[in-house]
Amino acid sequence: MAISSFSVSSDILENKTAEFARKVALATDILENDCFTVLSLQQPLLRDLRLVVGVLRISNHLTRIAAYSERLVGISCALPDKKMIPDELIAIAETCQLMLSDVLKAFSSGSASMALELVKKDKDIDLLHDSSFQKIIKRMTKEGADLVAIDAQLLTSVRLLERTGDLIAAIAKEVYFIYSGKKWTS
């Protein structure tokens, strides 16, 4: 559901509703409640406890990604011209979407090594963030005041996507911890 929600927000070229993002946030809350139920009804072993705690943290990150997705959809729907969207912003959205799919695959397959690779990909998002941020700022200084508000929203989008990448990297670190029993050290 998180992948679908992010897909809605990263598909910047189409107007979609934010309703789906709200549904994802609700589903994430249900997952978190189910995890608490497991903790309260079972006496987990150390590896089970690591899994439950990791899933709770991952659930929190996915909830934040869904909230960012909702904001991105709102910004996208308000844009008068999709041509104003920098290519880097679309590249960040696509990279985040692939990373989110991959991190959930790493979790479901129990692959700590795949999770490590995803943490490293966050650096690519940071570079694209810097590039698109500079591009928008440069455009803002040249354009009239009527377009500054739109560019400000695009800057917000860039920041939300960069934070999404950070959250995906945090999920990857949790997956690494769950399956390796070691905390990520950079």
Side-chain angles (χ1 to χ4, degrees):
M1 288 185 73
I3 292 169
S4 296
S5 173
F6 193 78
S7 175
V8 167
S9 66
S10 67
D11 191 3
I12 291 178
L13 301 177
E14 292 182 38
N15 288 328
K16 304 269 184 169
T17 73
E19 183 61 30
F20 190 77
R22 281 189 276 280
K23 288 179 183 175
V24 171
L26 178 63
T28 305
D29 288 341
I30 291 168
L31 174 63
E32 188 172 319
N33 288 334
D34 289 348
C35 288
F36 280 124
T37 301
V38 168
L39 268 180
S40 64
L41 297 177
Q42 304 293 324
Q43 294 180 346
L45 299 172
L46 182 59
R47 68 177 177 261
D48 296 332
L49 188 57
R50 209 169 51 227
L51 175 65
V52 171
V53 169
V55 167
L56 286 172
R57 289 179 178 164
I58 290 169
S59 174
N60 183 47
H61 298 319
L62 290 172
T63 300
R64 289 175 63 195
I65 289 171
Y68 292 163
S69 297
E70 184 177 349
R71 287 187 62 199
L72 287 165
V73 168
I75 291 169
S76 175
C77 290
L79 288 176
D81 184 3
K82 304 295 185 208
K83 293 177 186 171
M84 296 183 72
I85 301 170
D87 292 338
E88 294 89 350
L89 190 122
I90 294 170
I92 295 170
E94 291 170 351
T95 302
C96 284
Q97 191 170 356
L98 287 172
M99 284 177 63
L100 183 57
S101 177
D102 287 347
V103 78
L104 295 177
K105 285 177 191 170
F107 173 75
S108 64
S109 68
S111 176
S113 61
M114 189 176 183
L116 285 177
E117 291 303 314
L118 288 165
V119 173
K120 295 174 187 174
K121 278 188 174 181
D122 184 47
K123 302 250 185 274
D124 297 338
I125 291 175
D126 293 341
L127 291 173
L128 287 167
H129 165 267
D130 294 344
S131 175
S132 59
F133 189 86
Q134 292 302 321
K135 190 176 193 177
I136 293 169
I137 292 290
K138 189 175 183 179
R139 186 171 66 193
M140 286 174 80
T141 59
K142 292 180 180 178
E143 294 176 344
D146 55 331
L147 296 178
V148 170
I150 294 168
D151 283 337
Q153 292 298 319
L154 289 173
L155 287 175
T156 299
S157 297
V158 169
R159 179 65 182 139
L160 291 172
L161 288 168
E162 191 273 334
R163 281 295 302 135
T164 297
D166 291 344
L167 289 169
I168 294 167
I171 293 170
K173 290 175 185 177
E174 289 297 333
V175 170
Y176 177 76
F177 171 70
I178 290 168
Y179 294 111
S180 71
K182 301 174 189 170
K183 284 286 193 183
W184 166 263
T185 56
S186 47

